[in-house]
Amino acid sequence: MKQPIQFIIYFVISFITLWPVCQSEEAEKSQNLRKEFSLDKEYYLNGEFSEDSKDYRLGKGDIVTILVRGNSEFSGNFEIGPDGKIQYPFIGDIPAEGINKKELQEKIINLLGKYVKFSEISVSVLRYQSKFIYILGEVNKPGKYYISGDTITLRDAIIEAGLPTKDAALKRTYLIKTDPLNPNNRKINLREILYKGKLKNNVLLTSGDLIVLPSTIHSKINNFLFKLLDPITRVAIIDNMVQDRSN
């Protein structure tokens, strides 16, 4: 009877001892991945709104500017936190995720009525940070791109990324959907879109999409792409890429 108990004790001690090491190794892998493929470089794109959306829907990470005329203590810049709310003076947390700036403005007007007389209130988006795509590989400015809308075309995104480098394998550009409920990838001939005016495959990119331009020569980005295309290793890689902004 003593032997199983001793084994369990040994297992628990080993787990407690090795767990921080494993966590540290995973953190280091994630950091190296982000550094090697420019995942921490951030840029901004002007996107477009979808037909059923009249305005930008706010999300976690977005920063809004609220101005209350004649009441500076209620004015300022506010970031939508991981809980989807802004922390507003005197009032507290206000849900802001999923609504547009006009709807947020109406909320604030109703809540402020308890504290101040009606005054002019404006709400604007200072920084778009809830919707983004990744453009990696053989482009001149690889990195994470925030979009100020619902979508952006592949062509416009690549142009904003500084266009492909001379080593880019344009005919083997990959669009990878990172949605865990509907993961898929698609190979696109970017040369036809950029240089031949054939816009049939000029797809609309949405938040979370990953564009990878491989190289015509052997490179680390090609190995990275191979792992992304493998369903077994894709999930772990994407988990390391798409990290919560609060971390």
Side-chain angles (χ1 to χ4, degrees):
M1 189 67 182
K2 290 183 179 180
Q3 189 172 358
I5 295 176
Q6 289 175 343
F7 175 77
I8 293 172
I9 293 173
Y10 173 78
F11 176 79
V12 171
I13 293 174
S14 299
F15 179 80
I16 294 173
T17 305
L18 294 176
W19 176 250
V21 177
C22 294
Q23 289 290 86
S24 176
E25 289 178 352
E26 285 300 314
E28 186 177 352
K29 285 181 182 178
S30 177
Q31 186 177 4
N32 290 339
L33 173 71
R34 304 183 72 82
K35 183 178 180 180
E36 188 168 8
F37 296 109
S38 303
L39 301 184
D40 286 329
K41 291 185 177 180
E42 299 179 344
Y43 306 93
Y44 293 85
L45 298 171
N46 291 319
E48 300 176 354
F49 298 111
S50 58
E51 294 180 1
D52 60 348
S53 174
K54 295 181 180 179
D55 203 354
Y56 180 84
R57 294 284 164 180
L58 300 169
K60 299 169 186 175
D62 287 336
I63 300 177
V64 295
T65 297
I66 301 172
L67 296 176
V68 182
R69 187 173 181 180
N71 292 275
S72 59
E73 64 271 26
F74 291 104
S75 301
N77 300 325
F78 305 90
E79 182 171 357
I80 302 175
D83 59 353
K85 301 175 182 179
I86 60 171
Q87 295 180 342
Y88 199 67
F90 304 102
I91 293 176
D93 293 344
I94 301 177
E97 183 181 16
I99 62 177
N100 59 40
K101 57 187 180 183
K102 181 174 178 57
E103 291 168 332
L104 179 58
Q105 179 187 37
E106 292 171 353
K107 272 190 178 185
I108 295 172
I109 289 173
N110 293 332
L111 292 169
L112 277 183
K114 303 174 184 178
Y115 300 92
V116 297
K117 292 182 179 180
F118 179 80
S119 58
E120 185 178 340
I121 298 175
S122 67
V123 176
S124 59
V125 181
L126 175 65
R127 186 168 294 174
Y128 299 90
Q129 296 184 147
S130 64
K131 298 178 178 66
F132 57 85
I133 61 174
Y134 283 104
I135 306 176
L136 306 178
E138 293 295 339
V139 289
N140 286 294
K141 293 193 299 180
K144 184 178 184 178
Y145 284 79
Y146 296 104
I147 51 178
S148 60
D150 298 305
T151 62
I152 187 170
T153 66
L154 173 60
R155 179 177 179 272
D156 288 346
I158 295 298
I159 290 174
E160 290 294 329
L163 292 173
T165 68
K166 61 181 179 60
D167 293 325
L170 297 179
K171 295 181 180 180
R172 294 188 286 112
T173 299
Y174 275 88
L175 165 59
I176 298 171
K177 295 286 184 180
T178 58
D179 184 354
L181 299 177
N182 185 31
N184 61 76
N185 58 75
R186 175 179 177 183
K187 186 166 70 172
I188 297 174
N189 187 334
L190 192 58
R191 180 180 295 279
E192 290 188 344
I193 297 173
L194 289 177
Y195 305 118
K196 294 186 178 181
K198 297 182 179 180
L199 302 181
K200 179 181 178 181
N201 291 320
N202 187 28
V203 295
L204 290 177
L205 307 178
T206 57
S207 184
D209 284 354
L210 173 62
I211 303 298
V212 182
L213 276 74
S215 176
T216 54
I217 58 177
H218 180 72
S219 66
K220 291 182 178 180
I221 192 63
N222 290 7
N223 295 334
F224 178 68
L225 175 60
F226 178 77
K227 292 179 181 178
L228 274 173
L229 297 178
D230 185 338
I232 297 176
T233 54
R234 179 191 303 160
V235 175
I237 293 175
I238 291 174
D239 282 346
N240 280 332
M241 290 177 54
V242 186
Q243 296 182 340
D244 192 286
R245 293 185 57 82
S246 62
N247 289 345

